[in-house]
Amino acid sequence: MSTNIPSAKTLSGSWDAFSDVDAFVAVVSTELAAMKADGTMSSKRGPKAALEGAALEKAILSIWCVCFCGMQWRAVGRLSGLPFTTLYSLFARWTRLWRRLLGRLAKEWRISCGDEPEASALIIDSRSCRSSPTCGSRGIDGGKKVKGVKVHLAVDKHGFPSAIDISTANVHDTVGILPVIHERQGFQGTLLGDAGYRGKKLAKRAKDQGISLLSVASGIHGQFIPVGIRWVVERSFAWLSRYRRLNTIFERTTEHLIAFIEIAFISILSRRMARLIPQEISP
């Protein structure tokens, strides 16, 4: 089984994430305007006027800096000149925005690569992350000696998530992936996982939803060996490791942690779409 994955061609550019941060600000601003136009984004309530123009762009950039640089809300508020309470409330209120924008960009990227908008196969895996004592529920992953939470992902062959869920680190992969499978109700295809996703109970749960679960060993004697397209989820976790807010978890709620994960993938996709060679875009 080949491990090569055809992808759309993009212009070469700097690996520095700050070189394309304007693309992130632009796609978020565009999606925010679209959601306000179709009524899916609730309007701000209160005596203060909603942020607009340059102030809104500065707020979006500040939220990105919290995710990528791992800055504290109070620190980025002092640097941006905006109240940190305003920045945090925007981040929390835009939960639906992050989810919708990530889904749209992922579909656009798949179309640019010559694929169907919806994936026929998803790759699943998890990553245990250390969390601070102020974080919500925590557990200990005995195998990796990590006390914190576990991120469960289901990604397409390009490495972009179709479903995300969070559990404590002591939850086994076969149990932690169940909410991800539930989130993908209506998905008719194949789930690819490593040897940790073996088990009759999980296979039956997936089969009941019309999903075929295929567990494939991806290593020998502790050494990782790429098999088919299952390796792409490992690359997705490597992408997330570049965003410092996701290396040690401080979020008190799973919704906010998922939002930061979505922001990280939106940042990656917005850079790719901005560098996409025009003739590669399908009509």
Side-chain angles (χ1 to χ4, degrees):
M1 187 183 297
S2 174
T3 59
N4 294 326
I5 300 174
S7 179
K9 294 183 179 179
T10 57
L11 298 171
S12 60
S14 171
W15 283 97
D16 182 11
F18 283 91
S19 62
D20 291 317
V21 70
D22 290 340
F24 174 83
V25 175
V27 296
V28 174
S29 299
T30 301
E31 193 69 19
L32 185 61
M35 292 184 69
K36 287 182 178 179
D38 60 26
T40 54
M41 174 65 71
S42 59
S43 58
K44 180 183 179 299
R45 298 179 180 179
K48 295 184 179 179
L51 296 180
E52 295 180 352
L56 179 61
E57 293 180 356
K58 185 184 292 186
I60 296 172
L61 177 59
S62 299
I63 294 173
W64 180 88
C65 287
V66 172
C67 182
F68 183 75
C69 305
M71 301 175 67
Q72 295 182 352
W73 288 106
R74 291 178 182 270
V76 76
R78 291 290 294 271
L79 292 174
S80 65
L82 297 172
F84 79 92
T85 52
T86 299
L87 298 176
Y88 182 79
S89 62
L90 286 176
F91 161 77
R93 190 155 54 90
W94 289 349
T95 302
R96 187 182 303 173
L97 167 70
W98 310 125
R99 185 181 304 111
R100 170 171 151 164
L101 179 55
L102 175 58
R104 179 176 68 80
L105 290 177
K107 289 181 179 179
E108 289 181 1
W109 178 252
R110 288 183 58 82
I111 294 173
S112 300
C113 296
D115 298 321
E116 295 294 328
E118 298 294 337
S120 60
L122 296 175
I123 305 95
I124 56 177
D125 205 351
S126 66
R127 176 196 180 199
S128 295
C129 304
R130 300 184 185 278
S131 64
S132 69
T134 58
C135 185
S137 300
R138 298 196 297 168
I140 299 177
D141 184 338
K144 298 180 180 178
K145 304 297 188 294
V146 172
K147 185 176 183 179
V149 300
K150 186 177 286 188
V151 179
H152 303 271
L153 287 184
V155 303
D156 64 6
K157 70 177 185 179
H158 299 289
F160 297 110
S162 177
I164 308 170
D165 196 66
I166 309 297
S167 70
T168 55
N170 60 316
V171 173
H172 194 271
D173 288 350
T174 56
V175 177
I177 202 63
L178 292 178
V180 172
I181 295 177
H182 180 73
E183 187 177 341
R184 289 299 300 162
Q185 280 188 339
F187 170 73
Q188 299 292 323
T190 304
L191 287 182
L192 302 175
D194 59 18
Y197 292 99
R198 293 175 180 171
K200 294 181 179 180
K201 184 176 180 180
L202 177 60
K204 183 180 182 301
R205 187 72 172 269
K207 186 177 181 180
D208 291 342
Q209 291 191 203
I211 300 174
S212 174
L213 179 63
L214 180 60
S215 180
V216 181
S218 58
I220 299 177
H221 304 301
Q223 181 179 3
F224 175 74
I225 299 176
V227 178
I229 63 172
R230 212 208 65 76
W231 63 273
V232 298
V233 69
E234 308 292 351
R235 182 183 61 180
S236 299
F237 284 121
W239 288 340
L240 292 181
S241 67
R242 299 176 183 175
Y243 291 77
R244 296 185 179 182
R245 188 78 179 193
L246 300 175
N247 287 329
T248 300
I249 307 304
F250 295 93
E251 312 317 314
R252 297 178 183 269
T253 66
T254 58
E255 291 78 10
H256 290 175
L257 175 54
I258 291 175
F260 273 125
I261 295 173
E262 291 168 341
I263 289 173
F265 281 112
I266 291 170
S267 175
I268 296 169
L269 276 167
S270 63
R271 296 179 67 191
R272 290 197 180 188
M273 297 303 295
R275 295 179 181 180
L276 194 63
I277 298 176
Q279 57 265 29
E280 292 293 328
I281 302 178
S282 300

